[in-house]
Amino acid sequence: MNAPHSPVGAPLIAPRPMPEAMLDALRTRFGAQCSNARAVREQHGRDESPFDAPPPDAVVFCESNEDVMDAVKIAASHRVPVIPFGVGSSLEGHLLAVQGGLSLDLGRMNRILRLNPEDLTVTVQAGITRTQLNNEIRHSGLFFPIDPGADATLGGMCATRASGTNAVRYGTMRENVLGLGVVNAQGEWLRTGTRARKSSAGYDLTRLFVGSEGTLGVMTEITLKLYPLPEAVSAAVCQFPSVDAAVQTTIALIQMGVPIARCELLDANAVRAVNRHDKLTLAEVPMLLMEFHGSPAGVAEQARTVQELAADHGGLDFEWASTPEERTRLWTARHHAYFAALQTRPGCRAVTTDTCVPISRLAECITATVEEADAAGLPYFIVGHVGDGNFHVGYLIDPQLPAERALAEDLNQKLVARALAMEGTCSGEHGVGLHKMGFLVDEAGPAAVGLMRQIKHALDPDNIMNPGKIFSW
């Protein structure tokens, strides 16, 4: 198993500082939309990863496709890196300027460009967040289901091929993006895909860019699938005597084909954290938080089936959240789990894992992971989109104690090795970024990573698009 890459210490390659001539060109073209103020640069030089890196040399706040094209052209002429920025919620160091360069903030590009309710599609700018999109299309009776937890931008979600709590029913970003508008490394704007639900025309460039983490181009427009708001929605909490019992219940309901919309695991540590953070009174034992979508009769049938399966594995009676307010409170608490856990150890940072395994191996993988974490004695919490075999461990480390960081990375390495041995993956949804570069080689093999590198060289010969991420140049 290769050691995970860390930008702490020696950078991947030497930084490429921004020449004064480039900064002058940016100021001339963008005026107040360009800033090299230290506070602005530092805001765009950190995310939710445990890594530290110098901030970018400048930030441009883009407001149109033309802004992105011109900024990339200026950077390309000086061979200076370009790093797309959404809201800064990355967990793997995707937006860190490890070689310096220009941060492109797409947050002002947040409009709906075209809503086609009759086709169940919408085209948006990349800077719109998932919450904003759903609020603005609610009147149409449709919604976009991909929910990674953080209120991320749709561009960032495309870049990392995000999924989240609804993926067990609605799929990931990979299945829900129909087309893209992309600015390439030469500053040209190109369109991939159409609004049609399928196509056999040429290479699937949309899938190439989705999950590319900003290393092949800057996504500026996205065409998405939408879904009708379900007629009935019900959520339930079920407590279990152990994590294994909760996971065994999940495996049974997936193997039976129950069309559950959400199935989230929280271990006792995570429940304890959200109780404190959101002032809840949930029993502090492992639990599943589930949601059912469909007709009233269909939802009732799903719920009965899952209750019977849970009872077979020691699950306690369901606690139902049938009103929108109750459901919102529960899911808000789930989405706060990461930050709630951080507050249990003030000043800490989280080293997070992101493995996904075939559903039949999930209980085995989580049980071994819990045993290792308990033996190590490092504070941790577990949450997981267990309906699709994806779970996360957050190891809470003191950033002033290198030994704790090393211990967390060692536990992560063992977990990834276990997942790969089970024919799983090192990243179910967070992406590779800086953290999983070595793991990608272990998973895909040198030949496959070499092919990825050839694609990168062909599309970005000067290595200006978010360099130092996914694999080395």
Side-chain angles (χ1 to χ4, degrees):
M1 171 71 65
N2 289 312
H5 172 81
S6 170
V8 179
L12 190 60
I13 62 172
R16 293 184 275 174
M18 181 179 295
E20 193 65 31
M22 176 174 165
L23 185 57
D24 289 342
L26 292 172
R27 286 170 171 161
T28 299
R29 166 60 177 83
F30 292 103
Q33 289 175 242
C34 176
S35 175
N36 69 335
R38 184 168 185 83
V40 174
R41 293 189 296 115
E42 288 181 345
Q43 178 191 357
H44 290 77
R46 61 175 180 262
D47 57 12
E48 294 300 327
S49 75
F51 303 126
D52 293 309
D57 298 299
V59 178
V60 167
F61 295 88
C62 298
E63 298 178 355
S64 66
N65 289 337
E66 290 72 25
D67 282 354
V68 178
M69 293 165 64
D70 288 348
V72 172
K73 287 176 183 175
I74 292 171
S77 69
H78 293 275
R79 297 188 177 183
V80 167
V82 173
I83 308 103
F85 184 95
V87 295
S89 58
S90 164
L91 291 165
E92 305 295 349
H94 295 101
L95 57 84
L96 300 183
V98 292
Q99 297 178 25
L102 175 65
S103 176
L104 292 188
D105 188 317
L106 305 183
R108 298 180 186 179
M109 296 178 63
N110 61 354
R111 294 186 297 116
I112 293 177
L113 300 175
R114 184 178 180 184
L115 175 62
N116 298 95
E118 65 280 6
D119 294 321
L120 280 72
T121 67
V122 66
T123 299
V124 301
Q125 291 182 307
I128 195 170
T129 66
R130 62 175 183 85
T131 299
Q132 180 190 348
L133 171 61
N134 279 324
N135 286 340
E136 293 190 19
I137 65 174
R138 194 176 304 275
H139 69 280
S140 70
L142 304 173
F143 80 118
F144 182 66
I146 309 306
D147 175 13
D151 192 19
T153 64
L154 271 296
M157 290 166 62
C158 281
T160 57
R161 203 183 301 134
S163 54
T165 62
N166 277 316
V168 64
R169 176 156 182 165
Y170 298 98
T172 72
M173 289 299 289
R174 180 183 64 186
E175 291 82 34
N176 286 282
V177 177
L178 293 170
L180 297 168
V182 181
V183 175
N184 66 15
Q186 293 72 45
E188 303 165 326
W189 192 85
L190 58 97
R191 163 69 64 183
T192 78
T194 68
R195 289 199 306 112
R197 287 289 171 135
K198 62 181 182 178
S199 172
S200 298
Y203 294 156
D204 192 345
L205 296 180
T206 301
R207 298 298 169 274
L208 177 62
F209 283 102
V210 172
S212 62
E213 303 183 17
T215 63
L216 301 180
V218 182
M219 289 174 274
T220 63
E221 295 182 9
I222 307 159
T223 298
L224 301 164
K225 296 179 184 178
L226 299 177
Y227 296 80
L229 286 165
E231 182 183 358
V233 178
S234 188
V237 171
C238 185
Q239 284 87 26
F240 289 86
S242 66
V243 169
D244 181 72
V247 177
Q248 293 291 353
T249 300
T250 304
I251 293 172
L253 70 90
I254 296 301
Q255 291 177 340
M256 285 186 64
V258 178
I260 193 167
R262 288 167 155 172
C263 186
E264 294 289 297
L265 170 72
L266 287 81
D267 76 342
N269 296 328
V271 176
R272 191 174 302 114
V274 300
N275 272 347
R276 290 176 56 183
H277 186 274
D278 288 76
K279 297 179 173 57
L280 300 179
T281 56
L282 298 167
E284 294 179 352
V285 295
M287 58 169 267
L288 291 179
L289 175 54
M290 294 167 279
E291 189 166 279
F292 309 92
H293 293 180
S295 67
V299 165
E301 182 181 359
Q302 293 172 43
R304 282 194 301 270
T305 301
V306 175
Q307 278 185 296
E308 292 171 1
L309 290 171
D312 290 342
H313 293 91
L316 303 179
D317 288 341
F318 279 35
E319 298 176 24
W320 292 97
S322 299
T323 68
E325 293 77 15
E326 291 172 330
R327 292 196 302 272
T328 297
R329 190 179 186 204
L330 278 177
W331 287 112
T332 299
R334 164 61 185 90
H335 290 331
H336 287 167
Y338 173 80
F339 296 104
L342 290 179
Q343 290 184 11
T344 66
R345 191 180 187 191
C348 75
R349 298 179 80 167
V351 175
T352 59
T353 73
D354 180 32
T355 49
C356 185
V357 297
I359 191 72
S360 64
R361 307 298 300 274
L362 182 61
E364 180 184 355
C365 190
I366 292 182
T367 297
T369 300
V370 168
E371 290 174 354
E372 286 178 350
D374 287 340
L378 196 64
Y380 73 94
F381 66 98
I382 295 177
V383 294
H385 317 307
V386 287
D388 52 14
N390 184 201
F391 72 99
H392 312 293
V393 185
Y395 301 105
L396 304 177
I397 65 166
D398 183 337
Q400 303 304 315
L401 297 177
E404 289 196 358
R405 173 65 181 275
L407 177 57
E409 295 292 1
D410 180 63
L411 291 168
N412 185 25
Q413 235 175 305
K414 291 177 180 176
L415 170 54
V416 173
R418 182 180 307 115
L420 296 184
M422 295 177 176
E423 300 181 89
T425 178
C426 66
S427 179
E429 59 184 2
H430 292 170
V432 173
L434 294 168
H435 198 199
K436 299 185 173 73
M437 294 171 70
F439 296 150
L440 180 63
V441 177
D442 294 323
E443 177 174 329
V449 173
L451 179 58
M452 296 179 201
R453 188 176 285 111
Q454 289 178 40
I455 294 170
K456 166 73 169 173
H457 283 208
L459 299 186
D460 181 19
D462 291 324
N463 193 26
I464 68 167
M465 287 294 174
N466 204 14
K469 315 299 164 55
I470 302 183
F471 41 71
S472 60
W473 180 246

